[in-house]
Amino acid sequence: MKLNQSKLISVLTLITLCFWYSSIAHGQTITESKIGVNLPLSGPGMVLGNDIRDGLLLCNKDIGLRLIFEDNQTNPAKAVAAFQKLRDFDGVQLQISSFSPIVNALIPYARQSQIPLFVTIVSASSVVKNGAGILVNLFTSGEEAGPIAARFA
């Protein structure tokens, strides 16, 4: 089976998430953990959002995590509302999201709530800097990758 780039990122995200979270679950089994997935399942970012969702579901089939999906419609205000719903109503212990403008809007809420964010498709280095200590970025920005690529040019 051929995985496209978004699905590969999703699989890597879930694998990383499993190893990381299993080490801090504080007595919970990994399958009891609730993970919020705050993605653009509609709107301008829906193609990538749905690919990430599908990759997470595919990878999770054998793991059995409790993934709770919310559609932020590629809208930062709706992403914040989804974050708050996942935090307050669903009681998730961490969240997965994507896209720089969305993640930038979520960082203050994640920091205040001490809910880690696993993110992908975040290329703005300012987002990564703002999220220090609360953000796990699974995507390299052009500013980070440029100097590395230049060495091989």
Side-chain angles (χ1 to χ4, degrees):
M1 174 197 307
K2 183 179 176 186
L3 290 177
N4 67 28
Q5 185 177 4
S6 295
K7 288 187 181 175
L8 180 60
I9 290 170
S10 297
V11 168
L12 293 174
T13 300
L14 196 57
I15 290 167
T16 302
L17 184 116
C18 290
F19 284 112
W20 175 79
Y21 196 71
S22 65
S23 69
I24 63 161
H26 304 295
Q28 290 182 314
T29 65
I30 194 72
T31 56
E32 294 170 336
S33 302
K34 296 178 189 175
I35 298 169
V37 185
N38 187 345
L39 294 172
L41 303 175
S42 62
M46 69 184 262
V47 171
L48 291 173
N50 284 303
D51 279 348
I52 293 167
R53 180 203 59 206
D54 293 347
L56 288 169
L57 289 172
L58 178 66
C59 187
N60 191 44
K61 193 167 77 171
D62 295 326
I63 299 170
L65 297 172
R66 182 146 181 237
L67 301 175
I68 303 169
F69 291 89
E70 288 293 325
D71 178 13
N72 62 40
Q73 301 174 17
T74 326
N75 178 310
K78 291 183 180 186
V80 168
F83 179 94
Q84 292 170 327
K85 186 247 181 211
L86 289 163
R87 178 194 64 198
D88 299 338
F89 180 76
D90 296 308
V92 301
Q93 291 91 8
L94 62 90
Q95 292 196 29
I96 299 170
S97 195
S98 62
F99 296 106
S100 297
I102 300 297
V103 173
N104 200 41
L106 297 179
I107 288 171
Y109 297 92
R111 188 175 307 289
Q112 179 185 25
S113 306
Q114 291 299 295
I115 294 178
L117 284 173
F118 275 71
V119 301
T120 187
I121 313 175
V122 173
S123 59
S125 61
S126 61
V127 172
V128 176
K129 289 176 190 168
N130 292 340
I134 198 76
L135 187 81
V136 178
N137 186 18
L138 301 170
F139 188 85
T140 304
S141 75
E143 291 174 4
E144 296 166 325
I148 296 167
R151 288 190 303 198
F152 298 96

